[in-house]
Amino acid sequence: MNARPLISLLAAGVTALVVALTGAPWWLAATAFGCLALGLGVVALQSVFPQESAHRLAWWRDRRRHR
């Protein structure tokens, strides 16, 4: 797994925390935490689903067989 998305996600998380703790407007803090949650969701999906083409095809075939 590539560490670059995790590092940028941690930077976004720290930024969101700083925005929330410095007394920023509620809508700015909510937007920052929403972006953090979206980033976490993307990283989670990328870690669950295979990224290589052959592995992805095998994953979808197995999923279709079990349905």
Side-chain angles (χ1 to χ4, degrees), residues 11-31:
V14 169
T15 303
L17 185 62
V18 167
V19 165
L21 292 177
T22 57
W26 68 268
W27 55 269
L28 186 61
T31 302

Side-chain angles (χ1 to χ4, degrees), residues 7-59:
I7 292 171
S8 58
L9 194 62
L10 286 174
V14 169
T15 303
L17 185 62
V18 167
V19 165
L21 292 177
T22 57
W26 68 268
W27 55 269
L28 186 61
T31 302
F33 280 109
C35 290
L36 176 65
L38 181 63
L40 279 172
V42 167
V43 169
L45 280 175
Q46 285 180 345
S47 67
V48 170
F49 292 105
Q51 299 300 310
E52 297 295 324
S53 182
H55 295 145
R56 187 180 304 150
L57 179 61
W59 186 87

Side-chain angles (χ1 to χ4, degrees), residues 54-65:
H55 295 145
R56 187 180 304 150
L57 179 61
W59 186 87
W60 281 108
R61 282 183 182 158
D62 288 342
R63 184 173 187 274
R64 221 176 297 141
R65 281 187 201 135

